[in-house]
Amino acid sequence: MVKRTVVLADSDGVYLKRLSDYFMEKAPQLELSIFTDLSMLKQYLQRGRVDILAVDETFADQELAAQSTVAVKIVLSTATDTVDGFETVKKYQKTESLLNDLLLKYAESTGSAEVIRGNSHTKITAFYSPAGGTGKSTLALGMATTCACAGLRTLYLNLEEIDSMDMVLAETPGTLSDLFLALKTKGMNVGIKLASSVRQEPSAGFYYVNGVESISEYGEMEGTDMVRLLETVKSQAEYDVMVLDLSSGFSERTVKILEQTDVIFVPVTAEETAAAKLNRLLNEAAFHENYNALFGKMELVANRMSGKTGETVLRESGLAGRLPCVGVIGNLPVLERKKALLQGKEQLMAVFQPLLARLMNG
C-alpha cells in the first residue's frame, strides 16, 4: 500500500493531538506530520513533496498557497469563506467526517480513488418482491438500521424507479442522478462521485444517497451500468454491507442487480396476490435454467404475520417447499412508520437478527 503524506498545522496543540491520534488509528494509509509553528511548517515543506496539507485559516497565507511541493492544500475553516489557493473543509465536526472530507478533497483533486479505498469485504443484500405492497421498503430500511446498529458500515440504496424516500431521509450532497451521469461519462470516477454524494442518517447510522431527479433516467440505464455501480462500491471496500431496495418488476436491469447480491430477501404477506406472483416468478425456472442460481439466493420473509399464520400461508401457497424462510415478522409498532423505524435500533436488532445472521454467515 502506497502511503500518502499528510501535514496538519494549527496553533492549537490539543486539537492537533486529537486529530493525529484518530488519523493514526483509523487511516494506516497516511503518513502524518503535525505543526503548531508556521515558520517550522514552511521549512518542512521545502524538503519534499506532501500529498495533503491541512492548515488552520490563520496559517493559510499566500506563501503556502503558492507552495508547489503540495498536491492538495486545504484550509480548516470555522466559517464558510473561501481562501484563495485552498480547498475548504469545516474544522469543527466529527473527527471521522473531517478525515473523510480531507481524503475526498484529495481524491477529487487528483482523480484517484485509491486514498478513499477501505478494506471491507462488502456483502450485498436486496429486498425484492414481484408484488407491490409487501413491505419491502420498510424491511430494507429496518435491515440497514440493524446492520449499522451492529457496528457494520452500511450503505442503503433505493433503486426503485419511483421511490418516496425523500419523505423519510434528508437531502444528500449528491443523488443517484449524479452517479448515473458518472457511469455514462467517460473519464468520470464513479467511486469518487459516490463518496462525495453520500450522507449518514444521524439516528439510524447507515449511509445513503437520494434517488434520481427524474424517473426517466432509469430508461437510460442498462443492466451493465448497474453492475458497474455495484462493482464500484465493492471495489472501494468502504462498506461492510450494502442494502438494496428494488422495484417489483423483473427487467433485465433488475436481474443484473440481483445477480450481484449475496442474499435476496423476498417479503411475502398473507395477501393471495403476493404468493401468487412469487410462484409465477419461480415457475420461470422451468423455462430459463439460468434463473436457478438467482432463485437459489432467495429467502422468504413472512411479513406482517404471526408465526402460525406465516407457516399456514407459506404451506398453503406452496412457497414453503420452494424457498427457505429466514424469519417471520409480525405487525410491530416500530415498523408502522418509516421515520419512527429509524429511531428504533434496539427493537429492530431482535427482529432482524435472523436476517443479519443469514447475510453475514452465509
Side-chain angles (χ1 to χ4, degrees):
M1 176 176 61
V2 178
K3 288 201 170 189
R4 307 295 177 181
T5 55
V6 176
V7 174
L8 304 176
D10 194 298
S11 58
D12 186 342
V14 175
Y15 173 75
L16 279 184
K17 180 67 165 55
R18 178 169 62 85
L19 289 188
S20 62
D21 287 348
Y22 183 87
F23 283 22
M24 286 189 290
E25 177 186 356
K26 300 295 184 180
Q29 74 273 34
L30 303 181
E31 185 176 292
L32 188 66
S33 299
I34 60 175
F35 292 88
T36 56
D37 182 83
L38 181 57
S39 60
M40 292 185 66
L41 167 65
K42 291 179 178 179
Q43 291 177 28
Y44 175 83
L45 294 178
Q46 300 301 319
R47 301 176 187 173
R49 186 167 179 78
V50 170
D51 293 303
I52 303 173
L53 171 65
V55 302
D56 178 71
E57 51 200 344
T58 60
F59 281 29
D61 60 19
Q62 289 305 305
E63 185 178 345
L64 283 185
Q67 183 60 250
S68 60
T69 60
V70 179
V72 180
K73 309 175 190 74
I74 299 169
V75 62
L76 301 175
S77 177
T78 57
T80 56
D81 297 337
T82 59
V83 179
D84 289 344
F86 291 84
E87 300 284 348
T88 302
V89 165
K90 183 179 178 182
K91 181 175 182 178
Y92 295 114
Q93 57 175 313
K94 288 183 179 180
T95 311
E96 177 187 8
S97 299
L98 190 146
L99 172 59
N100 290 338
D101 285 352
L102 293 180
L103 297 182
L104 183 57
K105 289 292 185 184
Y106 178 80
E108 290 175 335
S109 296
T110 62
S112 171
E114 185 65 32
V115 73
I116 57 176
R117 185 163 288 123
N119 57 7
S120 297
H121 178 69
T122 307
K123 294 272 192 176
I124 303 179
T125 183
F127 283 78
Y128 169 78
S129 170
T134 59
K136 64 177 178 56
S137 292
T138 298
L139 295 182
L141 282 174
M143 183 66 172
T145 302
T146 300
C147 290
C149 185
L152 300 170
R153 190 173 173 89
T154 303
L155 176 65
Y156 165 82
L157 290 181
N158 187 301
L159 298 178
E160 295 179 296
E161 293 184 16
I162 305 176
D163 76 277
S164 58
M165 285 301 107
D166 58 344
M167 298 176 61
V168 182
L169 301 172
E171 185 177 351
T172 52
T175 67
L176 281 178
S177 296
D178 297 311
L179 298 184
F180 288 178
L181 178 62
L183 286 166
K184 291 292 190 180
T185 304
K186 185 177 181 180
M188 288 190 70
N189 190 301
V190 182
I192 295 175
K193 180 57 67 176
L194 172 65
S196 65
S197 297
V198 298
R199 174 175 180 159
Q200 186 176 27
E201 210 294 317
S203 299
F206 59 79
Y207 294 81
Y208 66 97
V209 179
N210 288 147
V212 293
E213 296 169 12
S214 170
I215 60 176
S216 63
E217 295 175 46
Y218 273 103
E220 302 173 7
M221 301 302 294
E222 300 175 356
T224 52
D225 296 318
M226 306 310 291
V227 170
R228 275 189 60 210
L229 175 60
L230 301 185
E231 287 180 342
T232 296
V233 176
K234 293 195 72 169
S235 67
Q236 288 298 108
E238 180 70 13
Y239 298 97
D240 301 306
V241 174
M242 180 162 38
V243 179
L244 307 177
D245 184 2
L246 303 182
S247 293
S248 297
F250 199 63
S251 65
E252 179 264 352
R253 183 173 58 244
T254 299
V255 171
K256 288 294 185 182
I257 294 172
L258 291 173
E259 287 175 346
Q260 300 301 307
T261 63
D262 295 287
V263 181
I264 304 166
F265 293 118
V266 184
V268 62
T269 63
E271 294 290 330
E272 291 184 6
T273 54
K277 286 190 174 184
L278 182 53
N279 272 314
R280 174 68 181 85
L281 176 64
L282 295 176
N283 290 340
E284 287 296 302
F287 306 101
H288 304 280
E289 290 185 1
N290 56 312
Y291 289 159
N292 285 327
L294 198 65
F295 297 155
K297 294 191 287 187
M298 290 184 172
E299 304 254 350
L300 294 172
V301 180
N303 193 27
R304 304 174 190 148
M305 303 186 221
S306 65
K308 286 188 176 181
T309 301
E311 291 177 7
T312 301
V313 168
L314 297 183
R315 183 180 65 254
E316 292 182 351
S317 66
L319 289 173
R322 308 190 75 175
L323 293 177
C325 180
V326 69
V328 179
I329 298 179
N331 288 295
L332 305 176
V334 70
L335 298 176
E336 289 180 358
R337 293 177 59 250
K338 293 184 177 70
K339 273 192 172 293
L341 177 154
L342 300 176
Q343 311 283 336
K345 292 186 286 189
E346 291 76 12
Q347 300 171 66
L348 292 174
M349 278 297 292
V351 176
F352 285 87
Q353 185 58 40
L355 281 69
L356 179 59
R358 171 65 184 86
L359 174 63
M360 301 310 295
N361 300 327

